[in-house]
Each structure stands twice: as structure tokens, then as C-alpha cells.
Amino acid sequence: MSDHEWGAVMALAEGHHARTVRALGTREVAGHLLKVYGIEAPGRAVGEAEAAPALALAADHLALGRHRGSLGLAVLLVHAGGDGDYVLVHSWIEGHMSDLAVWTGPAGRPAELRPGRAGLAPCVWEAAVLAHEREAFVRHLLDGTGPGAVRVSAWAADTLEGEVR
């Protein structure tokens, strides 16, 4: 690791902080059961007004989900970040795989959200929520017991709330 790289890591460490994650409910969107989360940087908030434009993006994206092998279960992250806004739609697809779409834009200007650049992946706070969702999917749906409706209900109720780092 070069001095420059180490300096970049240390700069990240100095600015690292907790962000609040809030579950904003579950909705039927474009034939998918969609769990919705807000992730809030200090001084920012995600409520229904901020979630509405993200839900519209999710609906458009998930409308073609069946063509990507979607299993009908998805997660929406509405991230009011420190440097802008981010929307992530993560859906479970066939073959133990998942599909991820990311949009980015200036803070508080949802009409300017655009698809993220090729290769863009979740940040540390978004990844924390997606890690929880991976565990919930495996625990309740893949390894769960009982009829499908019981498993799906358990998955839908298993949400992450509070601070993530």
C-alpha cells in the first residue's frame, strides 16, 4: 500500500460516522413485494415525500424484472447522503443471484436522479442494509420452514433500523 493510498484510507476513517437507517414499510410495486428503507446522513431526512420519486424509479425498473429472472422480492434504498442522493433497487433473481440498479443525483433534487456509472456499487452504509437483507432472505425464504406465504411474511417483517457504520 502506497503512502497516498494509506492517506486516502485514513481520510475516510477520520470522516466516518454512523448513519440512520429507517424501514419505511413494504409495498406492492410492479408485481414485486418491495421493502423500502431510508438512509440518512447527518442533517438529512427521508420520509414519504423523499421516497415517492424513488418508488417511481423502482416501479419502472421492476416492471421489466421478469425479463431479468426476478423472483418478485425486492428492496429499495433511498439514501439522503452527505454529497447527494442515491436510490438503489436490489431484487432477488433466479439462480441464487440478485440484480442491482443505482441512481445518483444532487441532494434534494429527485428529478435529476440518473443511472449510476458502470461499476458503481453500494457504499458502506448501503452495503450494511443489503447485508442484512441477504441474511433475511436466506434465513426466512431459503432456509425457512412452512408455506411460502409464511416465509414471505417473515422476510417482509425482518427489517433493519437504527444506526449503521
Side-chain angles (χ1 to χ4, degrees):
M1 179 178 263
S2 72
D3 288 342
H4 171 74
E5 292 164 332
W6 182 245
V9 170
M10 294 311 297
L12 283 176
E14 288 173 17
H16 189 65
H17 57 275
R19 293 207 173 168
T20 302
V21 173
R22 294 187 313 110
L24 300 176
T26 308
R27 297 171 173 84
E28 291 282 338
V29 175
H32 289 72
L33 183 58
L34 181 67
K35 288 167 76 170
V36 181
Y37 286 97
I39 303 173
E40 302 167 340
R44 305 278 320 272
V46 177
E48 290 302 318
E50 292 77 20
L55 284 162
L57 285 174
D60 288 346
H61 179 73
L62 293 173
L64 296 174
R66 301 285 182 228
H67 298 288
R68 289 188 303 277
S70 178
L71 301 175
L73 301 168
V75 177
L76 171 64
L77 306 182
V78 184
H79 187 176
D83 61 349
D85 290 341
Y86 301 86
V87 173
L88 287 77
V89 178
H90 178 270
S91 55
W92 294 103
I93 62 173
E94 60 197 10
H96 295 93
M97 303 286 288
S98 61
D99 180 77
L100 179 67
V102 179
W103 290 266
T104 67
R109 299 190 339 230
E112 295 180 42
L113 286 164
R114 298 293 182 261
R117 65 172 175 74
L120 183 63
C123 72
V124 295
W125 300 285
E126 296 156 356
V129 178
L130 294 178
H132 168 85
E133 284 302 318
R134 184 254 177 222
E135 293 300 318
F137 182 80
V138 170
R139 182 174 45 258
H140 298 297
L141 296 165
L142 302 182
D143 291 341
T145 59
V150 170
R151 293 180 188 205
V152 169
S153 291
W155 170 79
D158 188 341
T159 58
L160 179 64
E161 295 257 4
E163 291 189 342
V164 297
R165 295 195 57 82

